[in-house]
């Protein structure tokens, strides 16, 4: 017989448990730390989507995907033409993401304005 869900259990929590492992009741400090780790993970996943979209716009063949290692830590797998090419740290991925971000066009001086 399936266990009944409590009020706090939702499909979203099930997904997070699958990604990060089950949550345990802890004191407030540990809970805040866990929340921070989850927010960072979600930011990395969101930015991988942005980087993949930008790479597609630029015609690049490289794609990034979150990967959970056997020790429970996370990294980024890089695929070129759909084939695994390398594993990089999330920190290195963040630097690559900064490189792929669109940059605003530099302001040019209007020759008609008085300086």
């Amino acid at each position: 017989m399936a266990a009944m869900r409590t009020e706090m259990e939702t499909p979203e929590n099930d997904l997070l448990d699958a990604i990060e492992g089950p949550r345990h009741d802890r004191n407030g400090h540990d809970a805040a730390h866990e929340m921070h780790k989850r927010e960072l993970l979600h930011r990395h996943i969101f930015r991988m989507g942005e980087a993949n979209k930008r790479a597609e716009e630029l015609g690049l063949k490289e794609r990034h995907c979150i990967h959970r290692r056997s020790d429970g830590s996370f990294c980024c797998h890089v695929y070129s033409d759909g084939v695994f090419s390398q594993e990089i740290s999330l920190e290195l991925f963040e630097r690559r993401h900064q490189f792929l971000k669109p940059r605003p066009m530099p302001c040019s001086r209007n020759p008609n304005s008085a300086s």
Side-chain angles (χ1 to χ4, degrees):
M1 182 173 175
M4 293 183 57
R5 289 187 180 269
T6 64
E7 295 174 277
M8 298 302 291
E9 293 181 79
T10 65
E12 294 82 16
N13 286 343
D14 291 344
L15 176 61
L16 292 174
D17 287 345
I19 294 172
E20 299 175 341
R23 294 176 304 283
H24 304 285
D25 291 331
R26 299 185 185 116
N27 63 34
H29 178 69
D30 288 342
H33 179 71
E34 286 296 314
M35 178 65 97
H36 178 69
K37 284 176 31 180
R38 285 176 185 264
E39 288 172 354
L40 285 175
L41 178 61
H42 289 201
R43 184 180 71 193
H44 292 309
I45 293 169
F46 179 79
R47 287 185 173 170
M48 282 183 197
E50 287 182 332
N52 290 339
K53 182 179 178 183
R54 183 71 177 146
E56 187 175 338
E57 291 169 354
L58 295 172
L60 303 176
K61 304 283 185 188
E62 190 172 87
R63 299 295 181 267
H64 302 88
C65 184
I66 193 82
H67 176 73
R68 185 177 194 169
R69 295 180 178 134
S70 59
D71 67 358
S73 65
F74 292 93
C75 64
C76 176
H77 276 188
V78 181
Y79 295 85
S80 295
D81 283 327
V83 178
F84 175 78
S85 63
Q86 64 179 322
E87 179 179 290
I88 61 173
S89 69
L90 294 176
E91 292 76 22
L92 179 56
F93 164 75
E94 288 292 330
R95 285 184 283 209
R96 287 185 175 194
H97 175 264
Q98 290 298 319
F99 175 75
L100 285 172
K101 278 174 54 174
R103 290 169 181 62
M105 296 299 288
C107 295
S108 60
R109 298 184 96 177
N110 185 345
N112 297 329
S113 66
S115 298

